[in-house]
Amino acid sequence: MAGSPAFEQLDVAGRTVEVLTQGRGRPLVYLHAGDGIEPSLGFIERLARSFKVIAPSHPGFGASPRHGLRDIHDLAYHTLDLLETLELEAPVVAGSSFGGWIAAEMAVRAPARLGGLVLIDAVGIKTGGPEDRNIVDIFSHTPEALNALSYNRPPPMPAPADLAAALRIASNRESLSRFAWSPTLHNPRLRRWLHRITTPTLVVWGADDRIVAPDYGRAYAQGVPGARFELIEDAGHYPQREQPEAVARAVEAFAGVAAAVPA
């Protein structure tokens, strides 16, 4: 189990952001889901065996101030600013769920800035007709019900360790609702622009995802020229948490890197 993250404070175009950095090698920017970085610390540690992982808290999440940012477009441009601030040349950008949506918006705007794009059960597009619900309305569920929906084998929900941890959870929930409430977890125009993504792309999906089904992931992959779709068995909406080794190996194979043997 991963320990407490050692965040650093970074100035990104005048905005203070907390960033966790682990490992060395090819840079990989990991964009967390709507519940923050902490649930994926084990996966980040695993990726750090083969990449230099840079994991920022999005504005409004964790201890990163929101800085007046208002929507997914602001978050996409902010994260592109982060790449420039860190002088990252062609990093792999991997995003989970809400973070995958941010990554896709970045790749539509500036495909040449990314050396690889990994979408892990990403939300963000609209499939089907106006009356079709393709994404579970997570805002209408209790945390307990959402936890049950999100995993193939739902883990217990531990109580926050202290007040600081509780405040981070509250900040994450508030900010996710601000950025993704309406329309719920998608940009109605994003799908039409996926053809602009010339970045090599891997779409990874949990076979048992009950938040956004695998067919939604296949639609994402079909919209991106040359994208590859990979299903992860025995995993729900967060396959990197339930099957971290399988997802890490898929990312390593896609990026053409080998994992270091742990000491």
Side-chain angles (χ1 to χ4, degrees):
M1 184 69 179
S4 298
F7 288 104
E8 297 178 342
Q9 299 298 310
L10 180 69
D11 182 275
V12 177
R15 298 179 294 272
T16 303
V17 179
E18 63 172 15
V19 179
L20 173 66
T21 303
Q22 291 187 359
R24 57 185 178 181
R26 184 176 182 184
L28 182 148
V29 177
Y30 180 76
L31 303 181
H32 64 75
D35 55 357
I37 286 180
E38 284 82 357
S40 290
L41 288 178
F43 180 61
I44 290 171
E45 286 187 356
R46 173 58 184 85
L47 285 178
R49 286 168 47 190
S50 46
F51 297 94
K52 178 181 180 181
V53 183
I54 300 102
S57 286
H58 312 312
F61 292 78
S64 293
R66 192 159 56 89
H67 296 292
L69 303 191
R70 300 182 59 182
D71 56 26
I72 196 71
H73 311 291
D74 286 342
L75 293 180
Y77 285 118
H78 161 80
T79 313
L80 287 168
D81 280 349
L82 173 75
L83 303 190
E84 293 185 9
T85 298
L86 293 173
E87 298 181 343
L88 298 176
E89 294 186 9
V92 176
V93 175
S96 165
S97 188
F98 178 69
W101 179 12
I102 298 172
E105 296 276 3
M106 293 168 62
V108 162
R109 288 162 173 75
R113 291 290 290 116
L114 283 63
L117 174 66
V118 180
L119 303 178
I120 305 173
D121 294 67
V123 296
I125 63 171
K126 173 65 177 173
T127 62
E131 302 302 318
D132 296 320
R133 182 174 291 281
N134 312 111
I135 307 170
V136 166
D137 182 3
I138 64 173
F139 301 111
S140 67
H141 290 73
T142 65
E144 292 76 15
L146 189 58
N147 185 65
L149 281 172
S150 297
Y151 296 92
N152 182 41
R153 295 181 177 84
M157 294 183 62
D162 51 30
L163 178 59
L167 290 174
R168 288 177 71 89
I169 292 171
S171 177
N172 295 342
R173 290 175 179 169
E174 177 189 3
S175 292
L176 182 63
S177 66
R178 285 179 178 272
F179 287 118
W181 181 284
S182 180
T184 302
L185 291 169
H186 75 281
N187 171 2
R189 299 183 298 277
L190 176 58
R191 192 179 185 189
R192 75 179 65 166
W193 300 115
L194 292 180
H195 70 90
R196 286 182 45 82
I197 301 177
T198 56
T199 309
T201 301
L202 171 67
V203 179
V204 177
W205 224 263
D208 303 313
D209 191 341
R210 289 180 289 166
I211 302 296
V212 276
D215 280 348
Y216 180 99
R218 292 185 179 96
Y220 233 130
Q222 289 167 3
V224 179
R228 180 157 57 89
F229 180 82
E230 186 160 341
L231 205 62
I232 304 296
E233 299 295 337
D234 299 319
H237 187 59
Y238 302 112
Q240 77 277 18
R241 302 178 191 173
E242 294 191 274
Q243 302 293 338
E245 186 65 27
V247 177
R249 287 180 178 177
V251 175
E252 288 162 352
F254 165 71
V257 303
V261 177

